[in-house]
Amino acid sequence: THCPISHCRRVVSCTLSSEKVYDLVTVLQLYWETYDSLEGEGQITCPLTTQKCLVNPERLSLADITAESSNELDDYTALPANFEIISAVCKLCDDQTCTRYIRSTEDVDALRTKNSNGTTLAHFAAEHGRTEILMALHAQDRELLGATDNYGQTPAHLAAAFGQTEALLKLWELNPALLNAGDELGRTPAHHAAQRGKTETLLALYALNTEFLNARGELGRTPAHHAAQQGQTEALLKLWELDRELLNAGDKHGLTP
């Protein structure tokens, strides 16, 4: 058969034994290290065939990765649970595989692990709009969605900053308090959305509660202040259309957007 990771035509012996499961971990670790640097297809050494092969970085299922086996990998707990492996699984695999893996993880503390920036799996899922992963994490432990990184940002801050409106709405549904939470500078998700010019996200926040766009952060600044500071003209125009008073709000020094 051909290796579904590298697409090279070599016979690959893949079983569901624990030894081969750890071969899968090697694959995921390698992908984790190279995925972000690949644009389209890239060439790396396939850990299954030891050949230099073209890699097409797409989301896979663990069943696909096991090559010859047509059975799905049921023993997800055989995979070690740490940030790198969990994040690699969720970055590279489809939502069904990710959620099954999360729900089968016996050590819930592993789902709280952070990288050097304090980022958790929940932050990753929010940034990339992976709502199914957010729901799976919430089912395991409701507190997972409230984790903060080194800058005091929750997953809701990242969802807003990256314009992942659907994920942000899901976070609001699962934990409404997240949309009022401030980071280390007191900035709410609305501040982050405005700063990045995420107009659709601002509209969604306004529809949920108009007060989200009146939130005050450091120096008493509102989302409109941050949009103005970053030159987000489209966002400012949309805020003007929603409520002209948003652009008349003064900060602690009396400065308006």
Side-chain angles (χ1 to χ4, degrees), residues 35-226:
Y35 184 90
D36 283 328
S37 63
L38 292 177
E39 295 182 2
E41 292 188 343
Q43 197 173 56
I44 62 172
T45 300
C46 174
L48 297 182
T49 64
T50 67
Q51 300 295 309
K52 283 286 185 181
C53 308
L54 283 178
V55 173
N56 185 15
E58 299 174 343
R59 285 183 188 153
L60 307 167
S61 72
L62 294 185
D64 290 336
I65 294 175
T66 55
E68 283 187 330
S69 174
S70 60
N71 299 319
E72 291 190 26
L73 182 62
D74 291 322
D75 188 15
Y76 287 74
T77 56
L79 293 172
N82 58 51
F83 180 85
E84 287 75 17
I85 297 302
I86 294 173
S87 297
V89 169
C90 292
K91 186 165 190 175
L92 301 172
C93 298
D94 56 35
D95 285 343
Q96 182 180 9
T97 299
C98 296
T99 55
R100 287 184 61 196
Y101 176 61
I102 291 169
R103 288 169 179 161
S104 66
T105 301
E106 296 178 352
D107 183 8
V108 178
D109 283 339
L111 301 177
R112 299 189 181 95
T113 58
K114 301 182 177 184
N115 65 10
S116 59
N117 293 321
T119 300
T120 66
L121 178 57
H123 288 91
F124 164 82
E127 177 181 338
H128 294 277
R130 305 291 294 278
T131 56
E132 293 294 329
I133 296 177
L134 293 172
M135 293 170 64
L137 290 170
H138 183 262
Q140 280 281 44
D141 186 342
R142 295 183 178 184
E143 294 183 1
L144 292 172
L145 300 186
T148 55
D149 63 15
N150 295 350
Y151 311 100
Q153 298 174 139
T154 69
H157 287 97
L158 269 65
F162 286 89
Q164 300 292 355
T165 305
E166 183 179 348
L168 186 63
L169 292 176
K170 179 57 66 176
L171 288 168
W172 172 78
E173 178 185 325
L174 298 173
N175 188 349
L178 290 176
L179 270 63
N180 284 315
D183 61 14
E184 64 179 4
L185 296 176
R187 296 173 297 185
T188 66
H191 287 91
H192 285 259
Q195 184 171 328
R196 295 286 192 95
K198 303 302 179 182
T199 304
E200 180 183 340
T201 303
L202 290 172
L203 287 171
L205 288 168
Y206 185 81
L208 288 177
N209 187 339
T210 59
E211 288 305 306
F212 286 146
L213 301 189
N214 284 309
R216 301 277 179 164
E218 80 278 24
L219 300 178
R221 291 175 178 167
T222 66
H225 284 94
H226 286 270

